[in-house]
Amino acid sequence: MTQRKFDYDLVVIGGGSGGVRAARMAAGFGARVALVESHRLGGTCVNVGCVPKKLLVTGARYVDAFQDAKGFGWSVDATVDWNRLRTRVLSEVQRLNGIYGGILDRAQVEQVPGRGVVHGPHEVKVGERTLHAAKILIATGGRPRRPELPGAEHAAISDDFFELETLPKRAVLIGGGYIGVEFTSILTQLGVEVHLVHRHPELLNHFDADVATHFTEAFGVHPHVHLHLDRSAASIAAGSVTLNDGQTIEADFILFTAGRVPNIEGLFANGPAALGIETKARDALVVNDTYQTGCPSIFAVGDVIDRMALTPVALAEGMSFARHQFAEWSKKDARVAYDCVATAVFSTPEVATVGLSEADARKRGGVRIFLSTFRPMKFVLAERQERSLMKLVVDAESDRVLGVHVVGPDAGEIMQGFAAALNAGITKRKLDQTIGIHPTAAEELVTMREATR
Ligand code: FAD
Protein backbone atom coordinates (compact mmCIF):
# COMPACT_ATOMS: atom_id res chain seq x y z
CA MET A 1 0.00 0.00 0.00
CA THR A 2 2.70 2.49 1.01
CA GLN A 3 4.19 4.42 -1.85
CA ARG A 4 7.21 6.14 -0.26
CA LYS A 5 7.66 8.63 -3.08
CA PHE A 6 4.82 10.58 -1.46
CA ASP A 7 4.80 12.20 2.00
CA TYR A 8 1.38 10.69 2.68
CA ASP A 9 -0.65 7.72 1.51
CA LEU A 10 -3.74 9.87 1.86
CA VAL A 11 -4.55 13.55 2.21
CA VAL A 12 -8.17 14.25 3.15
CA ILE A 13 -9.60 17.71 2.45
CA GLY A 14 -12.49 18.43 4.84
CA GLY A 15 -12.81 17.42 8.49
CA GLY A 16 -16.56 16.79 8.58
CA SER A 17 -18.45 13.52 8.95
CA GLY A 18 -17.09 11.77 5.83
CA GLY A 19 -13.54 13.14 5.98
CA VAL A 20 -12.84 12.40 9.64
CA ARG A 21 -14.25 8.87 9.38
CA ALA A 22 -12.24 8.06 6.24
CA ALA A 23 -9.02 9.55 7.69
CA ARG A 24 -9.34 7.70 11.00
CA MET A 25 -10.09 4.37 9.36
CA ALA A 26 -7.40 4.65 6.70
CA ALA A 27 -4.85 5.47 9.44
CA GLY A 28 -6.15 2.47 11.40
CA PHE A 29 -5.34 0.29 8.38
CA GLY A 30 -1.74 1.59 8.49
CA ALA A 31 -1.88 4.50 6.03
CA ARG A 32 0.05 7.75 6.63
CA VAL A 33 -2.75 10.30 6.63
CA ALA A 34 -3.08 14.10 6.84
CA LEU A 35 -6.42 15.90 7.15
CA VAL A 36 -6.90 19.51 6.07
CA GLU A 37 -9.73 21.53 7.65
CA SER A 38 -10.36 25.21 7.04
CA HIS A 39 -12.86 25.84 9.83
CA ARG A 40 -13.86 23.62 12.75
CA LEU A 41 -13.55 19.86 13.01
CA GLY A 42 -16.83 17.99 12.77
CA GLY A 43 -18.04 19.92 9.70
CA THR A 44 -21.65 20.84 9.05
CA CYS A 45 -23.22 18.15 11.24
CA VAL A 46 -21.40 19.07 14.43
CA ASN A 47 -21.14 22.84 13.98
CA VAL A 48 -24.15 24.10 12.00
CA GLY A 49 -26.31 21.05 11.29
CA CYS A 50 -27.65 17.92 12.98
CA VAL A 51 -26.14 18.38 16.45
CA PRO A 52 -26.96 22.01 17.36
CA LYS A 53 -30.30 21.67 15.55
CA LYS A 54 -31.36 18.55 17.47
CA LEU A 55 -30.32 20.14 20.76
CA LEU A 56 -32.38 23.25 19.97
CA VAL A 57 -35.31 21.02 18.91
CA THR A 58 -35.07 19.21 22.24
CA GLY A 59 -34.86 22.48 24.14
CA ALA A 60 -37.78 24.09 22.31
CA ARG A 61 -40.05 21.03 22.66
CA TYR A 62 -40.18 21.38 26.45
CA VAL A 63 -42.91 23.94 25.92
CA ASP A 64 -45.21 21.18 24.62
CA ALA A 65 -44.25 18.92 27.52
CA PHE A 66 -45.06 21.68 30.02
CA GLN A 67 -48.37 22.33 28.29
CA ASP A 68 -49.28 18.62 28.17
CA ALA A 69 -48.24 18.11 31.81
CA LYS A 70 -51.29 20.11 32.90
CA GLY A 71 -53.53 17.34 31.58
CA PHE A 72 -51.69 14.91 33.85
CA GLY A 73 -52.26 16.97 36.99
CA TRP A 74 -49.18 19.18 37.02
CA SER A 75 -49.12 22.93 37.50
CA VAL A 76 -46.25 24.30 35.50
CA ASP A 77 -45.20 27.89 35.03
CA ALA A 78 -42.16 27.87 32.76
CA THR A 79 -40.19 30.43 30.76
CA VAL A 80 -37.20 29.95 28.52
CA ASP A 81 -33.91 31.86 28.51
CA TRP A 82 -32.80 31.78 24.85
CA ASN A 83 -29.34 33.04 25.64
CA ARG A 84 -28.74 30.25 28.14
CA LEU A 85 -30.14 27.60 25.76
CA ARG A 86 -28.01 28.86 22.87
CA THR A 87 -24.85 29.18 24.98
CA ARG A 88 -25.27 25.64 26.33
CA VAL A 89 -25.76 24.29 22.81
CA LEU A 90 -22.68 26.13 21.51
CA SER A 91 -20.55 24.85 24.40
CA GLU A 92 -21.60 21.29 23.58
CA VAL A 93 -20.55 21.91 19.97
CA GLN A 94 -17.14 23.09 21.22
CA ARG A 95 -16.80 19.97 23.34
CA LEU A 96 -17.46 17.85 20.25
CA ASN A 97 -14.86 19.81 18.22
CA GLY A 98 -12.33 18.76 20.85
CA ILE A 99 -13.49 15.14 20.73
CA TYR A 100 -13.00 15.04 16.96
CA GLY A 101 -9.47 16.43 17.41
CA GLY A 102 -8.76 13.72 19.98
CA ILE A 103 -10.06 10.99 17.64
CA LEU A 104 -7.66 12.15 14.90
CA ASP A 105 -4.72 12.47 17.31
CA ARG A 106 -5.23 8.97 18.69
CA ALA A 107 -5.44 7.59 15.16
CA GLN A 108 -2.19 9.45 14.34
CA VAL A 109 -3.77 11.49 11.59
CA GLU A 110 -1.82 14.71 11.10
CA GLN A 111 -4.13 17.72 11.33
CA VAL A 112 -3.34 20.53 8.92
CA PRO A 113 -5.43 23.62 9.64
CA GLY A 114 -6.17 25.81 6.61
CA ARG A 115 -7.82 25.79 3.23
CA GLY A 116 -6.77 22.95 0.93
CA VAL A 117 -6.40 23.63 -2.78
CA VAL A 118 -5.81 20.79 -5.23
CA HIS A 119 -2.97 21.66 -7.60
CA GLY A 120 -2.37 18.29 -9.21
CA PRO A 121 -3.30 14.59 -9.05
CA HIS A 122 -1.05 14.17 -5.98
CA GLU A 123 -0.62 17.74 -4.74
CA VAL A 124 -2.57 19.76 -2.21
CA LYS A 125 -1.50 23.25 -1.13
CA VAL A 126 -2.45 24.64 2.26
CA GLY A 127 -1.17 28.19 2.52
CA GLU A 128 2.58 28.03 1.90
CA ARG A 129 2.75 24.28 2.48
CA THR A 130 2.51 21.62 -0.23
CA LEU A 131 1.39 18.10 0.69
CA HIS A 132 2.22 15.24 -1.69
CA ALA A 133 -0.06 12.24 -1.42
CA ALA A 134 -0.57 8.95 -3.24
CA LYS A 135 -4.32 9.56 -2.92
CA ILE A 136 -6.46 12.60 -2.22
CA LEU A 137 -9.95 12.39 -0.73
CA ILE A 138 -12.26 15.37 -1.18
CA ALA A 139 -14.83 15.58 1.62
CA THR A 140 -15.61 19.29 1.51
CA GLY A 141 -19.37 18.87 2.06
CA GLY A 142 -21.98 21.41 1.01
CA ARG A 143 -22.64 25.08 1.60
CA PRO A 144 -25.81 27.18 1.76
CA ARG A 145 -26.38 29.25 -1.38
CA ARG A 146 -28.41 32.44 -1.46
CA PRO A 147 -30.93 32.46 -4.27
CA GLU A 148 -30.47 35.25 -6.81
CA LEU A 149 -33.22 37.58 -5.63
CA PRO A 150 -33.27 41.35 -5.38
CA GLY A 151 -32.20 42.15 -1.81
CA ALA A 152 -31.04 38.57 -1.02
CA GLU A 153 -28.20 40.02 1.05
CA HIS A 154 -30.78 41.07 3.70
CA ALA A 155 -31.58 37.43 4.47
CA ALA A 156 -29.59 35.09 6.70
CA ILE A 157 -28.53 31.54 5.76
CA SER A 158 -28.94 28.43 7.88
CA ASP A 159 -25.42 28.72 9.41
CA ASP A 160 -26.42 32.11 10.91
CA PHE A 161 -29.39 30.59 12.73
CA PHE A 162 -27.13 29.13 15.40
CA GLU A 163 -25.54 32.52 16.09
CA LEU A 164 -28.81 34.40 16.77
CA GLU A 165 -28.13 36.45 19.89
CA THR A 166 -31.71 37.42 20.55
CA LEU A 167 -34.89 35.72 19.42
CA PRO A 168 -36.78 37.68 16.77
CA LYS A 169 -40.45 38.52 17.31
CA ARG A 170 -41.46 37.81 13.75
CA ALA A 171 -39.55 35.82 11.16
CA VAL A 172 -39.91 34.89 7.51
CA LEU A 173 -38.38 31.57 6.53
CA ILE A 174 -38.06 30.86 2.83
CA GLY A 175 -38.20 27.15 1.92
CA GLY A 176 -40.41 24.41 3.38
CA GLY A 177 -38.02 21.48 3.06
CA TYR A 178 -36.73 19.67 6.12
CA ILE A 179 -34.48 22.48 7.38
CA GLY A 180 -37.28 25.03 6.93
CA VAL A 181 -39.84 23.09 8.94
CA GLU A 182 -37.35 22.13 11.65
CA PHE A 183 -36.26 25.75 12.18
CA THR A 184 -39.89 26.90 12.07
CA SER A 185 -40.79 24.44 14.83
CA ILE A 186 -37.90 25.59 17.01
CA LEU A 187 -38.78 29.26 16.61
CA THR A 188 -42.55 28.92 17.01
CA GLN A 189 -42.18 26.76 20.11
CA LEU A 190 -40.01 29.50 21.57
CA GLY A 191 -42.78 32.02 20.87
CA VAL A 192 -41.67 33.56 17.55
CA GLU A 193 -44.32 34.27 14.88
CA VAL A 194 -43.04 32.52 11.74
CA HIS A 195 -44.19 33.07 8.17
CA LEU A 196 -43.02 30.07 6.16
CA VAL A 197 -42.92 30.59 2.39
CA HIS A 198 -42.84 27.49 0.22
CA ARG A 199 -43.12 27.30 -3.55
CA HIS A 200 -45.13 24.04 -3.57
CA PRO A 201 -48.73 23.53 -2.38
CA GLU A 202 -47.49 21.19 0.36
CA LEU A 203 -44.54 21.16 2.74
CA LEU A 204 -42.04 18.28 2.55
CA ASN A 205 -43.21 17.69 -1.02
CA HIS A 206 -40.37 15.24 -1.71
CA PHE A 207 -41.84 12.81 0.80
CA ASP A 208 -44.69 10.32 0.25
CA ALA A 209 -47.83 12.25 -0.81
CA ASP A 210 -49.91 11.09 2.21
CA VAL A 211 -47.08 12.15 4.51
CA ALA A 212 -46.81 15.59 2.89
CA THR A 213 -50.59 16.19 3.06
CA HIS A 214 -50.97 14.98 6.65
CA PHE A 215 -47.87 16.88 7.77
CA THR A 216 -48.86 20.16 6.09
CA GLU A 217 -52.28 20.11 7.79
CA ALA A 218 -50.88 19.23 11.22
CA PHE A 219 -48.01 21.69 10.97
CA GLY A 220 -50.19 24.64 10.03
CA VAL A 221 -52.34 24.25 13.16
CA HIS A 222 -49.72 25.82 15.48
CA PRO A 223 -50.91 29.34 16.35
CA HIS A 224 -47.51 30.90 15.58
CA VAL A 225 -47.11 29.19 12.17
CA HIS A 226 -48.31 31.18 9.14
CA LEU A 227 -48.01 29.20 5.92
CA HIS A 228 -47.63 30.84 2.51
CA LEU A 229 -47.85 27.82 0.22
CA ASP A 230 -47.57 27.85 -3.56
CA ARG A 231 -45.77 31.18 -3.18
CA SER A 232 -42.21 32.32 -3.52
CA ALA A 233 -40.20 35.32 -2.41
CA ALA A 234 -39.95 37.91 -5.20
CA SER A 235 -37.75 40.45 -3.42
CA ILE A 236 -36.32 41.20 -0.03
CA ALA A 237 -35.62 44.48 1.73
CA ALA A 238 -34.24 45.23 5.19
CA GLY A 239 -37.09 44.06 7.44
CA SER A 240 -39.51 42.76 4.83
CA VAL A 241 -40.12 40.14 2.16
CA THR A 242 -42.40 40.65 -0.84
CA LEU A 243 -43.98 37.51 -2.25
CA ASN A 244 -44.79 36.78 -5.88
CA ASP A 245 -48.49 37.46 -5.17
CA GLY A 246 -47.61 41.02 -4.14
CA GLN A 247 -48.03 40.53 -0.37
CA THR A 248 -45.33 42.11 1.80
CA ILE A 249 -44.49 40.54 5.15
CA GLU A 250 -42.55 42.51 7.71
CA ALA A 251 -40.09 40.63 9.86
CA ASP A 252 -37.09 41.22 12.08
CA PHE A 253 -35.43 38.01 10.88
CA ILE A 254 -35.41 36.64 7.32
CA LEU A 255 -33.82 33.28 6.59
CA PHE A 256 -33.19 31.17 3.49
CA THR A 257 -33.47 27.52 4.41
CA ALA A 258 -33.26 25.93 0.97
CA GLY A 259 -30.53 25.78 -1.63
CA ARG A 260 -27.54 23.89 -0.27
CA VAL A 261 -24.99 23.05 -2.96
CA PRO A 262 -21.86 20.86 -3.05
CA ASN A 263 -18.85 22.84 -1.89
CA ILE A 264 -16.07 23.00 -4.47
CA GLU A 265 -15.57 26.76 -4.29
CA GLY A 266 -11.84 27.53 -4.80
CA LEU A 267 -10.98 23.86 -4.34
CA PHE A 268 -9.17 23.25 -7.63
CA ALA A 269 -6.35 25.61 -8.62
CA ASN A 270 -7.24 25.24 -12.30
CA GLY A 271 -10.79 23.95 -12.08
CA PRO A 272 -11.82 20.27 -11.87
CA ALA A 273 -11.85 19.73 -15.66
CA ALA A 274 -8.08 20.38 -15.87
CA LEU A 275 -7.61 17.17 -13.83
CA GLY A 276 -10.19 15.22 -15.81
CA ILE A 277 -12.75 15.51 -12.99
CA GLU A 278 -16.33 15.83 -14.16
CA THR A 279 -19.02 17.77 -12.34
CA LYS A 280 -22.77 17.35 -12.64
CA ALA A 281 -25.73 19.52 -11.70
CA ARG A 282 -25.07 22.02 -8.91
CA ASP A 283 -21.27 21.42 -9.06
CA ALA A 284 -21.41 17.93 -7.52
CA LEU A 285 -18.29 15.87 -8.25
CA VAL A 286 -18.91 12.80 -10.39
CA VAL A 287 -17.49 9.58 -8.93
CA ASN A 288 -17.71 5.88 -9.81
CA ASP A 289 -18.85 3.10 -7.47
CA THR A 290 -15.55 3.27 -5.54
CA TYR A 291 -15.83 7.07 -5.09
CA GLN A 292 -13.07 7.64 -7.65
CA THR A 293 -13.30 10.79 -9.75
CA GLY A 294 -12.12 11.05 -13.36
CA CYS A 295 -8.61 11.61 -11.96
CA PRO A 296 -7.54 8.11 -10.74
CA SER A 297 -5.75 9.32 -7.56
CA ILE A 298 -8.55 11.66 -6.45
CA PHE A 299 -11.66 10.42 -4.65
CA ALA A 300 -14.70 12.15 -3.13
CA VAL A 301 -17.38 11.29 -0.54
CA GLY A 302 -20.24 12.99 1.29
CA ASP A 303 -22.33 16.02 0.35
CA VAL A 304 -19.80 17.08 -2.29
CA ILE A 305 -20.94 14.14 -4.47
CA ASP A 306 -24.61 14.97 -3.76
CA ARG A 307 -26.02 11.45 -3.50
CA MET A 308 -27.86 11.72 -0.17
CA ALA A 309 -26.99 14.71 1.98
CA LEU A 310 -27.09 12.92 5.34
CA THR A 311 -24.41 12.40 7.96
CA PRO A 312 -24.71 8.59 8.19
CA VAL A 313 -24.40 8.39 4.40
CA ALA A 314 -21.20 10.51 4.44
CA LEU A 315 -19.86 8.25 7.22
CA ALA A 316 -20.72 5.10 5.27
CA GLU A 317 -19.09 6.44 2.10
CA GLY A 318 -15.96 7.43 4.06
CA MET A 319 -15.75 3.91 5.54
CA SER A 320 -16.37 2.27 2.19
CA PHE A 321 -13.56 4.33 0.62
CA ALA A 322 -11.09 3.53 3.42
CA ARG A 323 -11.89 -0.19 3.42
CA HIS A 324 -11.63 -0.59 -0.34
CA GLN A 325 -8.49 1.52 -0.78
CA PHE A 326 -6.53 0.69 2.39
CA ALA A 327 -7.79 -2.66 3.71
CA GLU A 328 -8.31 -4.49 0.44
CA TRP A 329 -12.01 -5.05 0.94
CA SER A 330 -13.66 -5.99 -2.34
CA LYS A 331 -15.89 -3.48 -4.09
CA LYS A 332 -18.88 -5.66 -3.27
CA ASP A 333 -18.10 -5.97 0.44
CA ALA A 334 -17.36 -2.26 0.81
CA ARG A 335 -20.51 -1.18 -1.06
CA VAL A 336 -22.89 1.33 0.56
CA ALA A 337 -26.57 0.27 0.53
CA TYR A 338 -28.34 3.42 -0.60
CA ASP A 339 -31.76 1.85 -1.11
CA CYS A 340 -32.89 1.56 2.51
CA VAL A 341 -31.58 4.74 4.13
CA ALA A 342 -33.93 5.92 6.86
CA THR A 343 -34.28 9.62 7.48
CA ALA A 344 -36.14 11.83 9.94
CA VAL A 345 -37.36 15.41 10.05
CA PHE A 346 -37.16 16.73 13.60
CA SER A 347 -40.02 19.16 13.27
CA THR A 348 -43.14 19.00 15.42
CA PRO A 349 -44.83 16.79 14.39
CA GLU A 350 -41.83 14.62 13.61
CA VAL A 351 -41.57 12.70 10.33
CA ALA A 352 -39.53 9.61 9.51
CA THR A 353 -39.34 7.42 6.49
CA VAL A 354 -37.46 4.52 4.97
CA GLY A 355 -37.68 2.99 1.51
CA LEU A 356 -40.04 3.98 -1.26
CA SER A 357 -42.94 6.40 -1.36
CA GLU A 358 -46.19 5.01 -2.74
CA ALA A 359 -45.70 6.93 -6.02
CA ASP A 360 -42.16 5.58 -6.55
CA ALA A 361 -43.25 2.04 -5.66
CA ARG A 362 -46.14 2.20 -8.16
CA LYS A 363 -43.66 3.02 -10.95
CA ARG A 364 -42.13 -0.44 -10.33
CA GLY A 365 -45.32 -2.50 -10.17
CA GLY A 366 -48.38 -3.35 -8.12
CA VAL A 367 -48.47 -2.30 -4.48
CA ARG A 368 -50.68 -2.76 -1.44
CA ILE A 369 -51.08 0.20 0.89
CA PHE A 370 -51.63 0.00 4.64
CA LEU A 371 -52.47 3.31 6.26
CA SER A 372 -53.68 4.41 9.65
CA THR A 373 -54.17 7.70 11.45
CA PHE A 374 -54.82 7.79 15.18
CA ARG A 375 -54.55 10.05 18.20
CA PRO A 376 -51.58 8.97 20.33
CA MET A 377 -52.59 7.86 23.82
CA LYS A 378 -50.71 10.62 25.60
CA PHE A 379 -52.47 13.30 23.54
CA VAL A 380 -55.89 12.35 24.88
CA LEU A 381 -55.28 13.51 28.48
CA ALA A 382 -53.15 16.35 27.15
CA GLU A 383 -56.19 17.41 25.09
CA ARG A 384 -54.20 17.65 21.88
CA GLN A 385 -56.19 16.94 18.73
CA GLU A 386 -53.13 16.09 16.58
CA ARG A 387 -53.20 12.67 14.91
CA SER A 388 -50.27 10.47 13.95
CA LEU A 389 -49.99 8.81 10.55
CA MET A 390 -48.43 5.44 9.78
CA LYS A 391 -48.15 3.94 6.33
CA LEU A 392 -46.69 0.82 4.80
CA VAL A 393 -46.05 0.36 1.08
CA VAL A 394 -45.91 -3.35 0.21
CA ASP A 395 -45.03 -5.07 -3.07
CA ALA A 396 -48.22 -6.84 -4.19
CA GLU A 397 -46.42 -9.78 -5.74
CA SER A 398 -43.61 -10.63 -3.30
CA ASP A 399 -45.24 -9.22 -0.12
CA ARG A 400 -41.97 -7.38 0.62
CA VAL A 401 -42.30 -4.14 2.54
CA LEU A 402 -40.95 -1.40 0.27
CA GLY A 403 -41.59 1.68 2.37
CA VAL A 404 -42.47 2.72 5.93
CA HIS A 405 -43.65 6.24 6.72
CA VAL A 406 -44.51 7.80 10.09
CA VAL A 407 -45.67 11.27 11.13
CA GLY A 408 -45.95 11.77 14.88
CA PRO A 409 -44.07 11.74 18.17
CA ASP A 410 -40.81 9.74 18.21
CA ALA A 411 -41.06 8.95 14.47
CA GLY A 412 -37.26 8.95 14.14
CA GLU A 413 -36.75 6.57 17.06
CA ILE A 414 -39.47 4.25 15.75
CA MET A 415 -38.05 4.16 12.23
CA GLN A 416 -34.53 2.93 12.95
CA GLY A 417 -35.63 -0.63 13.74
CA PHE A 418 -37.90 -0.74 10.69
CA ALA A 419 -34.96 0.35 8.52
CA ALA A 420 -33.07 -2.75 9.71
CA ALA A 421 -36.13 -4.89 8.96
CA LEU A 422 -36.43 -3.46 5.44
CA ASN A 423 -32.73 -4.05 4.83
CA ALA A 424 -33.26 -7.67 5.85
CA GLY A 425 -36.10 -7.93 3.30
CA ILE A 426 -39.05 -8.16 5.69
CA THR A 427 -42.47 -9.10 4.30
CA LYS A 428 -45.88 -7.87 5.46
CA ARG A 429 -46.66 -11.40 6.63
CA LYS A 430 -43.57 -11.32 8.92
CA LEU A 431 -44.66 -7.95 10.28
CA ASP A 432 -48.09 -9.42 11.00
CA GLN A 433 -46.43 -12.28 12.90
CA THR A 434 -44.53 -9.80 15.06
CA ILE A 435 -46.09 -9.27 18.46
CA GLY A 436 -46.41 -5.59 19.29
CA ILE A 437 -45.18 -3.81 22.41
CA HIS A 438 -48.27 -2.53 24.18
CA PRO A 439 -49.14 0.23 24.71
CA THR A 440 -46.91 2.06 22.23
CA ALA A 441 -47.50 3.99 19.04
CA ALA A 442 -45.04 1.77 17.16
CA GLU A 443 -47.18 -1.36 17.66
CA GLU A 444 -49.55 0.10 15.06
CA LEU A 445 -46.97 -0.76 12.38
CA VAL A 446 -47.20 -4.49 13.11
CA THR A 447 -50.99 -4.63 13.15
CA MET A 448 -51.95 -2.70 10.04
CA ARG A 449 -54.94 -3.46 7.82
CA GLU A 450 -55.05 -2.73 4.10
CA ALA A 451 -56.29 0.76 3.22
CA THR A 452 -59.42 1.06 1.12
CA ARG A 453 -59.36 4.17 -1.04
P1 FAD B 1 -19.34 18.40 6.02
O1 FAD B 1 -19.78 17.85 7.30
O2 FAD B 1 -20.03 19.63 5.53
O3 FAD B 1 -17.78 18.72 6.16
C1 FAD B 1 -17.07 19.38 5.19
C2 FAD B 1 -15.88 20.07 5.85
O4 FAD B 1 -14.96 20.47 4.83
C3 FAD B 1 -16.27 21.33 6.61
O5 FAD B 1 -15.77 21.25 7.92
C4 FAD B 1 -15.58 22.45 5.84
O6 FAD B 1 -15.12 23.50 6.68
C5 FAD B 1 -14.40 21.72 5.20
N1 FAD B 1 -13.89 22.33 3.97
C6 FAD B 1 -14.59 22.71 2.89
N2 FAD B 1 -13.75 23.13 1.91
C7 FAD B 1 -12.50 22.99 2.42
C8 FAD B 1 -11.19 23.26 1.89
N3 FAD B 1 -11.01 23.69 0.65
N4 FAD B 1 -10.11 23.01 2.69
C9 FAD B 1 -10.29 22.53 3.94
N5 FAD B 1 -11.49 22.26 4.48
C10 FAD B 1 -12.58 22.49 3.72
N6 FAD B 1 -27.94 15.11 8.31
C11 FAD B 1 -28.49 14.11 9.04
O7 FAD B 1 -28.16 12.94 8.79
N7 FAD B 1 -29.39 14.36 10.05
C12 FAD B 1 -29.77 15.62 10.36
O8 FAD B 1 -30.58 15.82 11.27
C13 FAD B 1 -29.22 16.70 9.62
N8 FAD B 1 -29.54 17.97 9.91
C14 FAD B 1 -28.98 19.00 9.21
C15 FAD B 1 -29.34 20.30 9.54
C16 FAD B 1 -28.79 21.36 8.84
C17 FAD B 1 -29.21 22.77 9.21
C18 FAD B 1 -27.85 21.12 7.80
C19 FAD B 1 -27.25 22.26 7.04
C20 FAD B 1 -27.48 19.83 7.47
C21 FAD B 1 -28.04 18.76 8.17
N9 FAD B 1 -27.71 17.43 7.87
C22 FAD B 1 -28.29 16.40 8.58
C23 FAD B 1 -26.79 17.10 6.76
C24 FAD B 1 -25.38 16.76 7.28
O9 FAD B 1 -24.92 17.79 8.12
C25 FAD B 1 -24.42 16.57 6.09
O10 FAD B 1 -25.00 15.60 5.22
C26 FAD B 1 -23.06 16.07 6.56
O11 FAD B 1 -22.47 16.97 7.45
C27 FAD B 1 -22.15 15.88 5.33
O12 FAD B 1 -20.87 15.50 5.73
P2 FAD B 1 -19.62 15.78 4.81
O13 FAD B 1 -18.46 15.10 5.44
O14 FAD B 1 -19.93 15.47 3.39
O15 FAD B 1 -19.39 17.37 4.85
Side-chain angles (χ1 to χ4, degrees):
M1 174 205 330
T2 313
Q3 297 174 38
R4 288 285 166 193
K5 67 178 180 159
F6 297 109
D7 307 327
Y8 301 96
D9 298 310
L10 174 67
V11 165
V12 177
I13 307 179
S17 311
V20 169
R21 181 60 63 89
R24 172 174 75 76
M25 288 193 63
F29 296 136
R32 294 163 304 150
V33 184
L35 180 140
V36 187
E37 170 55 56
S38 57
H39 290 87
R40 289 180 289 165
L41 284 176
T44 304
C45 176
V46 168
N47 295 293
V48 287
C50 337
V51 171
K53 173 203 72 188
K54 184 79 188 283
L55 291 172
L56 288 178
V57 164
T58 308
R61 279 183 181 170
Y62 278 101
V63 71
D64 288 345
F66 294 138
Q67 182 64 33
D68 292 354
K70 292 179 191 159
F72 290 84
W74 290 85
S75 306
V76 186
D77 184 16
T79 53
V80 67
D81 177 345
W82 164 252
N83 209 25
R84 185 165 154 74
L85 168 59
R86 183 181 148 266
T87 311
R88 302 234 342 125
V89 169
L90 293 181
S91 68
E92 171 58 7
V93 166
Q94 260 175 18
R95 189 183 74 86
L96 293 173
N97 294 147
I99 285 181
Y100 271 72
I103 289 171
L104 291 173
D105 285 346
R106 280 191 298 282
Q108 299 189 314
V109 172
E110 184 185 333
Q111 294 177 47
V112 184
R115 191 162 185 82
V117 180
V118 181
H119 278 256
H122 301 282
E123 202 178 298
V124 176
K125 285 199 174 166
V126 187
E128 298 294 296
R129 207 175 146 190
T130 302
L131 312 174
H132 292 102
K135 289 172 184 158
I136 296 169
L137 177 69
I138 295 170
T140 50
R143 62 185 168 88
R145 191 182 55 182
R146 272 170 221 276
E148 283 171 18
L149 274 183
E153 68 279 7
H154 296 293
I157 51 170
S158 71
D159 292 0
D160 304 327
F161 182 76
F162 302 102
E163 301 292 333
L164 263 180
E165 286 189 1
T166 50
L167 273 180
K169 289 201 165 23
R170 211 170 135 95
V172 175
L173 268 58
I174 302 167
Y178 84 95
I179 297 176
V181 299
E182 287 175 339
F183 285 8
T184 299
S185 287
I186 295 169
L187 288 171
T188 51
Q189 284 168 323
L190 295 174
V192 179
E193 296 291 330
V194 177
H195 291 258
L196 179 60
V197 182
H198 186 52
R199 63 172 70 245
H200 298 277
E202 286 179 335
L203 301 167
L204 299 184
N205 51 290
H206 295 302
F207 284 69
D208 180 271
D210 284 318
V211 168
T213 305
H214 183 93
F215 176 81
T216 304
E217 277 169 22
F219 193 75
V221 164
H222 193 287
H224 296 323
V225 173
H226 308 278
L227 296 181
H228 301 267
L229 299 174
D230 228 351
R231 303 276 181 282
S232 55
S235 64
I236 300 177
S240 70
V241 177
T242 301
L243 306 187
N244 60 346
D245 63 0
Q247 185 187 359
T248 296
I249 311 165
E250 293 190 355
D252 44 353
F253 181 56
I254 301 165
L255 178 70
F256 288 124
T257 63
R260 282 186 75 79
V261 289
N263 185 11
I264 61 162
E265 214 177 18
L267 181 63
F268 297 98
N270 302 305
L275 290 167
I277 298 177
E278 251 184 272
T279 53
K280 55 183 181 184
R282 313 187 322 138
D283 278 352
L285 298 183
V286 174
V287 291
N288 65 16
D289 55 0
T290 63
Y291 305 102
Q292 190 175 37
T293 66
C295 176
S297 56
I298 301 184
F299 298 77
V301 295
D303 285 6
V304 77
I305 63 171
D306 204 19
R307 287 199 177 159
M308 281 181 167
L310 291 169
T311 287
V313 173
L315 295 173
E317 291 171 350
M319 288 193 281
S320 168
F321 161 79
R323 285 171 173 151
H324 184 56
Q325 297 299 327
F326 297 100
E328 290 165 14
W329 282 40
S330 71
K331 222 159 72 169
K332 186 164 164 265
D333 288 343
R335 201 188 62 215
V336 174
Y338 289 100
D339 50 349
C340 277
V341 178
T343 174
V345 181
F346 297 104
S347 48
T348 302
E350 198 163 296
V351 177
T353 182
V354 64
L356 298 181
S357 66
E358 179 179 339
D360 285 343
R362 284 194 189 283
K363 285 180 204 153
R364 294 183 172 190
V367 293
R368 294 167 68 206
I369 301 299
F370 300 80
L371 188 132
S372 155
T373 67
F374 58 95
R375 202 167 162 211
M377 190 180 192
K378 66 177 179 180
F379 284 179
V380 179
L381 290 197
E383 296 178 17
R384 262 180 208 283
Q385 300 310 317
E386 185 187 310
R387 297 177 75 76
S388 291
L389 173 139
M390 293 191 178
K391 178 171 178 180
L392 297 177
V393 180
V394 176
D395 183 74
E397 205 178 302
S398 66
D399 196 42
R400 254 185 94 151
V401 182
L402 302 176
V404 183
H405 308 275
V406 173
V407 183
D410 305 317
E413 299 293 341
I414 292 170
M415 196 55 67
Q416 188 64 80
F418 284 90
L422 248 70
N423 256 315
I426 196 157
T427 58
K428 175 68 170 84
R429 178 183 288 256
K430 280 278 175 206
L431 275 188
D432 291 342
Q433 286 169 353
T434 307
I435 307 285
I437 302 171
H438 185 72
T440 61
E443 68 179 314
E444 186 69 20
L445 282 170
V446 295
T447 56
M448 289 183 82
R449 298 219 189 101
E450 192 154 0
T452 44
R453 299 199 192 228

